[in-house]
């Protein structure tokens, strides 16, 4: 048998220093000794994670063999790469890189662009390092500060369908913002048109609720299985709670028939602490978290995706559930992510490394009200397609 010693004898010391090590590396990358939380397989234990060829190839205690690169995961949480289903990461070409620093290895731009400007968003998505997708706004203008649906003629079904047809690789759904300050009394008609645009492509619709003209009992019947309600904890008028703070039966019924309820942190009008508290006390937790992130979010109550997640740790959501909402649950909403949100063997090696710190952390709602939590997740490293992402 030809062994390493014989090779050294014949080739000399210089070769020993260089080639054999490279030849001998068993894996491309090993993340050693982290607390691996992978709800997709029910794992919550200290493990090593080995990666080769951009795929997860082993998750075990004390993996033998070496790697070209090793990350020390001790004291850290090693989770599937985070998937943020409501962002505006497609607005700026530097957005995707910034989100990646926070552990976000998949994102959806939720309605920044409509038929008139979705092509720019799609170009950013195609150029992103991670998987970026977009929802086309049912308003041809995309999101506009003054509200894009006050004129219902902006909700042009044929134009939206054209936008989907020419961006099939990126556009994975339709977005409609239904608040009174966006849509006046056009909320239901805008949603009907969003469904009409999505139907031939069999795509979901995401609606943004809160302070709508119409009540949830009128809006929810227009949603089908797999559609998404974002800003789920938006306060009255016309949120998910009645005047006594009880969940509307229509809301729990919608969840039972497969409508997804998404947090959608945002900045203004999208959630307040009392609504979150009342809803979670009735067991109505998010299916998915999302940030409503954009490149300015560091300076708002969003900060980063791990910060948004930490708000639910404060409300007592178990860590494995928290990670599920930010990874596997989100991956299941859009087929583009269907082999992601997991560290299962063979999956693309997208990993979010986070640090759970103890202390006093102030969290902001959208009404300048703070609550103090005793734990906060911080981004501590990202691996994308098996490669460590360097800090910007
Ligand atoms: Zn948004």
């Amino acid at each position: 048998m030809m062994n390493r010693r014989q090779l050294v004898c014949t080739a000399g010391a210089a070769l020993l220093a260089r080639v054999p090590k490279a030849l001998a590396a068993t894996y491309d990358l090993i993340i050693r000794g982290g607390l691996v939380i992978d709800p997709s397989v029910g794992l919550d234990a200290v493990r090593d994670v080995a990666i080769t060829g951009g795929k997860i190839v082993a998750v075990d205690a004390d993996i033998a063999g070496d790697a070209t690169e090793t990350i020390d995961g001790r004291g850290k949480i090693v989770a599937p790469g985070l998937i943020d289903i409501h962002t505006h990461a497609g607005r700026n070409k530097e957005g995707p890189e910034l989100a990646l620093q926070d552990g976000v290895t998949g994102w959806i731009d939720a309605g920044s662009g409509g038929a008139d400007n979705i092509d720019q968003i799609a170009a950013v998505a195609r150029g992103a390092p991670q998987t970026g997708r977009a929802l086309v706004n049912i308003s041809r203008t995309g999101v506009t500060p003054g509200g894009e649906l006050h004129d219902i003629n902006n909700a042009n079904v044929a134009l939206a369908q054209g936008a989907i047809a020419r961006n099939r690789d990126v556009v994975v759904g339709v977005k409609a913002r239904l608040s009174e300050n966006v849509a006046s009394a056009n909320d239901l008609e805008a949603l009907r048109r969003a469904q009409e645009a999505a139907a031939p492509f069999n795509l979901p619709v995401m609606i943004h609720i809160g302070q709508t003209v119409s009540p949830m009992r009128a809006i929810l019947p227009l949603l089908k299985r797999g559609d998404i309600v974002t800003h789920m904890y938006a306060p009255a008028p016309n949120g998910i709670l009645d005047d006594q703070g009880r969940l509307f039966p229509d809301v729990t019924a919608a969840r039972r028939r497969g409508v997804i309820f998404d947090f959608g942190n945002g900045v203004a009008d999208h959630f307040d602490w009392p609504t979150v508290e009342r809803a979670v006390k009735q067991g109505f937790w998010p299916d998915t978290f999302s940030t409503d992130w954009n490149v300015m979010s560091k300076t708002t109550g969003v900060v980063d995706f791990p910060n948004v997640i930490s708000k639910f740790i404060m409300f007592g959501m178990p860590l494995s559930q928290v990670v599920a909402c930010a990874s596997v649950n989100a991956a299941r909403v859009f087929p583009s992510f269907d082999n992601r949100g997991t560290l299962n063997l063979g999956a693309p090696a997208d990993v979010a490394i986070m640090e759970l710190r103890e202390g006093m952390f102030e969290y902001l709602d959208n009404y300048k009200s703070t609550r103090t939590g005793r734990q906060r997740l911080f981004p501590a490293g990202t691996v994308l397609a098996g490669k460590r992402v360097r800090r910007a």
Side-chain angles (χ1 to χ4, degrees):
M1 184 177 105
M2 178 76 168
N3 62 30
R4 197 176 294 178
R5 192 141 54 101
Q6 286 170 292
L7 193 72
V8 172
C9 291
T10 54
L15 193 61
L16 173 70
R18 223 162 23 91
V19 178
K21 189 172 184 338
L23 287 175
T26 320
Y27 303 107
D28 293 347
L29 175 65
I30 297 184
I31 306 165
R32 290 225 183 252
L35 176 64
V36 176
I37 300 181
D38 181 4
S40 76
V41 295
L43 181 61
D44 186 342
V46 172
R47 291 284 185 270
D48 296 343
V49 177
I51 294 163
T52 292
K55 301 267 198 276
I56 306 286
V57 293
V59 179
D60 254 312
D62 303 313
I63 291 175
D66 58 352
T68 309
E69 187 173 13
T70 300
I71 297 176
D72 183 0
R74 288 174 300 173
K76 308 257 170 46
I77 289 168
V78 175
L82 308 179
I83 297 174
D84 190 345
I85 68 164
H86 179 172
T87 75
H88 296 279
R91 272 183 192 156
N92 308 76
K93 79 174 186 317
E94 63 274 25
E97 286 282 358
L98 286 171
L100 190 60
Q101 302 283 328
D102 300 337
V104 176
T105 58
W107 51 265
I108 300 283
D109 182 288
S112 302
D116 295 346
N117 46 11
I118 189 71
D119 296 355
Q120 286 110 277
I121 308 290
V124 171
R126 288 184 194 106
Q130 72 278 65
T131 305
R133 297 288 186 265
L135 309 179
V136 64
N137 199 307
I138 189 58
S139 169
R140 58 186 296 175
T141 61
V143 169
T144 63
E148 60 271 17
L149 289 167
H150 297 300
D151 177 0
I152 192 62
N153 293 320
N154 283 338
N156 184 308
V157 172
L159 288 178
Q161 289 178 338
I164 298 169
R166 65 178 187 270
N167 293 290
R168 284 295 275 147
D169 56 329
V170 169
V171 175
V172 294
V174 180
K175 175 82 183 284
R177 301 202 305 157
L178 302 184
S179 300
E180 193 270 339
N181 65 2
V182 176
S184 307
N186 295 323
D187 49 5
L188 298 179
E189 180 57 21
L191 176 50
R192 279 185 209 105
R193 292 186 191 191
Q195 293 291 10
E196 192 184 341
F201 303 95
N202 197 22
L203 294 177
V205 169
M206 178 189 280
I207 59 166
H208 142 155
I209 63 158
Q211 306 94 41
T212 48
V213 168
S214 303
M216 291 301 281
R217 70 170 180 280
I219 293 170
L220 290 170
L222 299 178
L223 297 181
K224 61 189 184 292
R225 179 180 188 80
D227 286 346
I228 305 121
V229 174
T230 192
H231 308 316
M232 64 185 283
Y233 299 126
N238 291 326
I240 62 172
L241 305 177
D242 68 17
D243 293 345
Q244 278 75 50
R246 293 171 306 208
L247 277 163
F248 284 117
D250 317 68
V251 171
T252 45
R255 169 169 277 177
R256 276 198 302 276
R257 66 186 171 81
V259 172
I260 309 294
F261 285 84
D262 173 66
F263 177 52
N265 192 117
V267 175
D269 306 330
H270 299 325
F271 88 97
D272 65 354
W273 298 124
T275 305
V276 178
E277 188 156 52
R278 286 180 194 124
V280 302
K281 277 191 173 149
Q282 293 165 77
F284 203 73
W285 296 91
D287 295 304
T288 54
F289 301 140
S290 69
T291 56
D292 205 357
W293 186 93
N294 63 63
V295 294
M296 305 303 293
S297 288
K298 278 272 183 274
T299 61
T300 71
V302 171
V303 188
D304 53 43
F305 199 7
N307 182 64
V308 169
I309 289 171
S310 302
K311 296 177 184 185
F312 289 89
I313 300 176
M314 176 174 70
F315 278 102
M317 191 185 242
L319 207 48
S320 60
Q321 188 58 34
V322 158
V323 170
C325 287
S327 58
V328 67
N329 291 5
R332 284 173 183 158
V333 178
F334 293 99
S336 301
F337 300 124
D338 73 2
N339 57 354
R340 296 179 193 262
T342 178
L343 300 175
N344 207 358
L345 301 189
D350 294 351
V351 186
I353 303 169
M354 295 178 281
E355 196 178 338
L356 185 64
R357 291 188 204 153
E358 312 282 329
M360 302 289 263
F361 301 99
E362 297 229 306
Y363 296 111
L364 253 184
D365 70 5
N366 283 184
Y367 294 83
K368 298 191 165 61
S369 174
T370 59
R371 290 211 179 181
T372 305
R374 299 190 164 273
Q375 294 179 308
R376 204 279 215 199
L377 281 169
F378 285 86
T382 310
V383 172
L384 180 69
K387 298 216 162 55
R388 179 183 208 156
V389 174
R390 301 291 160 189
R391 285 265 141 196

